[in-house]
Amino acid sequence: FFSRFTALVPVDTRRSPMDTIPKIDVQHLFYGTPQKPDTLRALKAALVDGPGFVRIFLSESILPHSLIGTCYDRAKAFHALPEEVKAKYHHSKDPRARGWVPKGEEPDYEVSRKSLVSAFDMGREMPVGGTNGDVNMGPNVWPTEDECPGFRGSVYLFYSLMSCVSGTVFRALAEIFDLPPETFAQHATENSRATQRLLYYPAKGDGAATSDAEAEALGISRHTDFEVFTIMHQTSTGLQLAPRQAPEEWIDAPDLEPGEFLMIIGDMMERWTNGVLKATPHRVLHTPWERFSLIRFNGVQSSAVIEPLPPFVTKDRPAQYKATTQGAHMDEVNRRLDAGLGAQGTASL
């Protein structure tokens, strides 16, 4: 069900990122056009034999491109609010840690290496406990309309439309391996761990003189994501991705064309596929220019059991990962981060 692995070859850093990162048009998956089989083959080639990540194009009918710009305008307006206003929405005041994460409070994914980013985090609007009693589900924290006009409406519309894209990708990730389309999607319920972050990276050198720790810091230090897959957008370069053929090297994520996003694999998909797909290490440089990004994490419900599925386990390729759940995995990663142990190699925890 999966093709032979290609020989490991060094990344040719002379290639442009646009050539290095394959691109697929999601509308063929979304609408089931005659080009869907070719699109699935291209997606599989990119994830299994290629770098392990892909550029995806979302047509205007799936996601109005103007909404991307609107969300960035709203994100800039929020991050420009006075500190005392943003402090009302500090993530520590919310049981689900939604809201504002100030610069300097992002975890050290690499031990003792600071991440110089601030964020606004949100998810699906749900009653407290969701519909299954999960303490991670509940309402969002929002600035008022007077404080940040249009913020809630635009940001939540973007989240909702990306949820439709997420469902299509969940099904496609099964179909590329000739598995039933709902293999993964059945676990992506309304109670899924699916967070959206509006990230702000100040330009290097902004503000007061930096400490030695900040001089060595990154925008966000190296890590893999803890969910199934992640869809990413950025206003300018700075994001770097490690290809599966050479995980200690970096490819600069390109400037994105209108409607383009990046999709990377997370820890849970690596475990489900017994390592056939690999979680993508990535980081963000501390750039001399200001950056914003929109990040949509696509996890499954906390109780979903994640272990190598039978089609990916053979005599020559025994199960390499123990069973866990989405919730237990995230709890363990957060425990390690709180203990100052970093978050390296989390797919194998």
Side-chain angles (χ1 to χ4, degrees):
F1 60 90
F2 58 88
S3 62
R4 250 178 229 276
F5 295 108
T6 55
L8 298 185
V9 294
V11 174
D12 182 358
T13 56
R14 293 170 296 178
R15 290 181 293 176
S16 73
M18 299 295 276
D19 295 331
T20 305
I21 305 177
K23 177 180 176 179
I24 65 164
D25 188 338
V26 170
Q27 71 174 333
H28 302 308
L29 308 176
F30 198 89
Y31 297 115
T33 73
Q35 288 76 38
K36 180 177 178 179
D38 287 341
T39 304
L40 289 171
R41 281 190 287 271
L43 178 60
K44 181 179 179 181
L47 298 180
V48 175
D49 300 316
F53 41 84
V54 68
R55 288 179 293 148
I56 61 173
F57 174 73
L58 304 181
S59 65
E60 287 272 5
S61 62
I62 297 173
L63 180 79
H65 297 170
S66 61
L67 181 59
I68 303 171
T70 299
C71 281
Y72 278 126
D73 289 341
R74 303 295 183 257
K76 291 174 183 177
F78 175 82
H79 286 292
L81 288 171
E83 297 288 298
E84 61 270 20
V85 176
K86 291 184 288 189
K88 294 191 295 183
Y89 309 107
H90 193 279
H91 66 99
S92 66
K93 299 180 179 180
D94 181 68
R96 290 155 293 280
R98 297 182 184 181
W100 178 51
V101 182
K103 175 184 170 182
E105 294 189 16
E106 188 75 11
D108 291 353
Y109 299 107
E110 293 181 276
V111 175
S112 299
R113 192 158 202 180
K114 292 176 64 64
S115 295
L116 302 179
V117 62
S118 59
F120 182 88
D121 296 345
M122 50 78 63
R124 185 185 293 272
E125 283 285 354
M126 298 282 280
V128 173
T131 60
N132 66 353
D134 187 344
V135 297
N136 297 286
M137 299 296 109
N140 285 304
V141 174
W142 298 107
T144 68
E145 189 68 14
D146 287 341
E147 292 166 339
C148 205
F151 184 88
R152 178 173 182 167
S154 298
V155 170
Y156 200 70
L157 176 59
F158 181 85
Y159 179 89
S160 299
L161 294 177
M162 291 303 291
S163 294
C164 297
V165 175
S166 173
T168 296
V169 174
F170 267 110
R171 288 185 286 274
L173 289 172
E175 291 177 289
I176 64 174
F177 295 114
D178 298 322
L179 298 173
E182 298 304 310
T183 299
F184 308 123
Q186 64 183 314
H187 304 291
T189 69
E190 60 186 354
N191 296 292
S192 289
R193 305 292 288 271
T195 303
Q196 182 169 283
R197 308 195 80 189
L198 284 68
L199 300 178
Y200 168 52
Y201 300 87
K204 193 171 187 176
D206 276 4
T210 57
S211 64
D212 290 342
E214 287 194 352
E216 295 297 320
L218 292 169
I220 285 185
S221 54
R222 179 190 176 107
H223 65 286
T224 58
D225 289 340
F226 318 135
E227 297 84 0
V228 180
F229 62 92
T230 306
I231 299 175
M232 319 169 86
H233 196 279
Q234 60 178 359
T235 56
S236 56
T237 56
L239 172 65
Q240 293 187 318
L241 309 168
R244 60 176 298 158
Q245 302 97 330
E248 298 306 316
E249 299 189 25
W250 294 107
I251 290 176
D252 291 314
D255 286 321
L256 297 169
E257 298 174 357
E260 274 192 354
F261 290 77
L262 291 159
M263 190 193 86
I264 65 174
I265 296 298
D267 292 349
M268 297 295 91
M269 188 56 72
E270 178 172 332
R271 296 175 80 107
W272 254 330
T273 62
N274 202 27
V276 173
L277 298 184
K278 289 289 189 182
T280 308
H282 56 288
R283 67 181 184 182
V284 177
L285 301 178
H286 191 196
T287 61
W289 50 87
E290 180 181 74
R291 297 179 68 257
F292 290 84
S293 63
L294 302 172
I295 308 296
R296 169 58 189 260
F297 300 99
N298 302 278
V300 290
Q301 64 183 24
S302 292
S303 61
V305 176
I306 314 293
E307 61 184 334
L309 296 178
F312 299 96
V313 179
T314 66
K315 180 180 178 181
D316 296 330
R317 192 182 183 85
Q320 301 175 39
Y321 307 83
K322 64 183 181 181
T324 188
T325 64
Q326 177 74 85
H329 180 71
M330 296 185 77
D331 288 346
E332 175 59 18
V333 173
N334 287 325
R335 184 195 69 78
R336 292 175 62 85
L337 289 170
D338 290 343
L341 301 175
Q344 300 303 299
T346 54
S348 301
L349 289 177

